[in-house]
Amino acid sequence: MSTILEKISAIESEMARTQKNKATSAHLGLLKAKLAKLRRELISPKGGGGGTGEAGFEVAKTGDARVGFVGFPSVGKSTLLSNLAGVYSEVAAYEFTTLTTVPGCIKYKGAKIQLLDLPGIIEGAKDGKGRGRQVIAVARTCNLIFMVLDCLKPLGHKKLLEHELEGFGIRLNKKPPNIYYKRKDKGGINLNSMVPQSELDTDLVKTILSEYKIHNADITLRYDATSDDLIDVIEGNRIYIPCIYLLNKIDQISIEELDVIYKIPHCVPISAHHHWNFDDLLELMWEYLRLQRIYTKPKGQLPDYNSPVVLHNEHTSIEDFCNKLHRSIAKEFKYALVWGSSVKHQPQKVGIDHVLNDEDVVQIVKKV
């Protein structure tokens, strides 16, 4: 492991020494590709040997979505979990009070959301310091990350945490690169770009691909991409997670400073101790999780508005709704009656491919 870390630090120092210009872009691209390969080995080591005997932090997934609290030690993650979910997570005035994952669950707008209080991350966590790799591995399984920051400490901490998570293949508040990439058996590298490229050209793409021992591939760049974007697409193990930055301890700063903080994107100032601004936080959490509530209506009865079926924004067809209830329903499905904003008539008879909107009411009719 230390040899990989040594190689990584050697490449990083070489990249820091190299000037950025047209002549060195191919060399920098090659170094970035080497760095990405070494980082992947850190995430999932090659040898299939026995385990190290360290217990992981993984917690069974429950509820409709999962939110992880990430941050340096002593920024108020445990206090926030205790006050949001009513779960006791040990709180003390020293660092590293939380040593394992503490789960909690809240019900918001009818959806059950699991909250995970993860142990504090320190600088160098992506390289395995302070059991950071297990912590970040759990963060990879979350639907949303709450990055808890202390507003009295410098905002440089935000950059450090982002750097740790990015080194582990997590991309925060980003969309997957719009690059088409397909390996083939013969025909060489075929590069098409739909818009003028400021960084990538055929030589640089070939240099990066040769580092991965790929000599035949089709690549289409649909926007002005960087070499990092291309490496992310080739690696294929990147996870794109929305993130909300929580600036905690606002009870210790002035109103003028608070006004400045409010202008930072993806950011919510809170005070976990005094329960300040939790409404804003939960509303933004709901917006970033992109969940939709669908109410069920048994035949001849009123709709059940207390326990909605919660679907993710990208999977909201009637088929997804049926599968969420029970796998056998989709096979016996005949048609559905829908009330709500996704149909023109109230009710309307729809098929299994109909896409539902938030707070629609559905009644399913099965084949006899």
Side-chain angles (χ1 to χ4, degrees):
M1 190 66 73
S2 60
T3 53
I4 295 179
L5 290 178
E6 283 162 15
K7 283 179 188 170
I8 285 177
S9 61
I11 289 174
E12 280 180 340
S13 60
E14 189 179 342
M15 281 172 71
R17 284 198 309 272
T18 310
Q19 281 187 337
K20 280 186 185 173
N21 55 43
K22 218 45 182 290
T24 59
S25 64
H27 179 60
L28 279 170
L30 185 66
L31 291 178
K32 281 179 183 171
K34 280 184 178 169
L35 197 60
K37 280 175 74 178
L38 290 168
R39 289 229 188 285
R40 186 181 56 201
E41 277 181 44
L42 265 185
I43 297 170
S44 49
K46 274 183 182 170
T52 52
E54 283 188 62
F57 293 142
E58 189 47 61
V59 176
K61 205 165 187 175
T62 60
D64 301 304
R66 176 182 248 197
V67 178
F69 293 12
V70 172
F72 283 115
S74 284
V75 290
K77 297 189 294 295
S78 300
T79 312
L80 183 61
L81 180 77
S82 304
N83 292 341
L84 266 180
V87 178
Y88 178 68
S89 180
E90 197 179 336
V91 179
Y94 53 86
E95 301 197 333
F96 295 107
T97 321
T98 308
L99 295 171
T100 178
T101 304
V102 180
C105 190
I106 57 167
K107 204 165 182 193
Y108 185 67
K109 293 192 178 178
K112 283 188 185 136
I113 294 160
Q114 185 183 35
L115 304 175
L116 297 182
D117 176 18
L118 300 170
I121 287 179
I122 55 171
E123 209 176 329
K126 64 180 184 300
D127 307 326
K129 280 187 190 167
R131 299 190 68 188
R133 282 174 52 218
Q134 285 102 315
V135 177
I136 301 178
V138 177
R140 274 177 77 99
T141 66
C142 296
N143 304 97
L144 172 67
I145 287 177
F146 278 175
M147 192 177 283
V148 189
L149 303 161
D150 188 338
C151 68
L152 299 172
K153 291 180 181 164
L155 268 178
H157 284 190
K158 172 172 169 269
K159 281 267 189 297
L160 284 172
L161 280 168
E162 283 172 352
H163 183 64
E164 296 300 321
L165 294 174
E166 293 221 339
F168 217 73
I170 296 175
R171 301 285 177 264
L172 300 175
N173 292 328
K174 285 183 186 172
K175 286 196 165 69
N178 194 358
I179 296 174
Y180 171 78
Y181 162 75
K182 189 180 181 186
R183 288 186 74 165
K184 50 188 185 178
D185 297 331
K186 55 188 178 187
I189 304 287
N190 182 19
L191 178 68
N192 295 314
S193 35
M194 295 184 172
V195 291
Q197 298 293 319
S198 59
E199 186 179 333
L200 291 175
D201 55 15
T202 313
D203 295 337
L204 180 51
V205 170
K206 282 183 178 172
T207 310
I208 292 171
L209 289 172
S210 66
E211 176 59 33
Y212 286 94
K213 298 186 173 61
I214 298 168
H215 304 293
N216 303 296
D218 285 333
I219 294 170
T220 306
L221 306 171
R222 298 196 181 100
Y223 70 112
D224 187 6
T226 64
S227 49
D228 291 323
D229 294 338
L230 180 63
I231 289 168
D232 282 355
V233 170
I234 298 165
E235 284 279 346
N237 62 353
R238 305 296 188 238
I239 289 184
Y240 298 85
I241 305 177
C243 172
I244 298 175
Y245 304 105
L246 310 187
L247 286 167
N248 193 13
K249 307 186 185 176
I250 56 167
D251 49 319
Q252 299 174 21
I253 61 169
S254 67
I255 297 285
E256 288 79 12
E257 289 171 306
L258 190 57
D259 287 340
V260 173
I261 282 172
Y262 242 113
K263 290 173 186 164
I264 303 168
H266 311 296
C267 177
V268 182
I270 57 160
S271 170
H273 185 66
H274 294 286
H275 297 62
W276 290 354
N277 210 16
F278 279 7
D279 309 345
D280 232 8
L281 168 63
L282 292 171
E283 193 54 51
L284 201 66
M285 175 189 78
W286 182 260
E287 189 187 314
Y288 276 53
L289 284 171
R290 293 167 58 216
L291 299 175
Q292 292 196 1
R293 295 154 292 176
I294 311 295
Y295 302 111
T296 53
K297 181 187 178 301
K299 193 174 179 184
Q301 294 175 29
L302 287 169
D304 178 10
Y305 289 117
N306 294 326
S307 47
V309 176
V310 179
L311 302 173
H312 191 266
N313 207 336
E314 290 165 9
H315 307 285
T316 55
S317 69
I318 294 277
E319 189 174 3
D320 297 315
F321 172 76
C322 292
N323 290 335
K324 187 84 188 236
L325 292 172
H326 197 276
R327 284 199 197 125
S328 65
I329 294 178
K331 292 172 191 165
E332 300 168 8
F333 178 88
K334 189 177 181 187
Y335 64 88
L337 293 170
V338 177
W339 291 257
S341 58
S342 68
V343 288
K344 286 181 184 173
H345 314 293
Q346 313 292 336
Q348 187 170 322
K349 209 167 159 180
V350 297
I352 202 158
D353 297 325
H354 176 74
V355 176
L356 298 162
N357 285 354
D358 192 23
E359 298 201 88
D360 278 2
V361 175
V362 177
Q363 178 186 323
I364 288 173
V365 180
K366 294 204 250 182
K367 290 174 190 164
V368 182

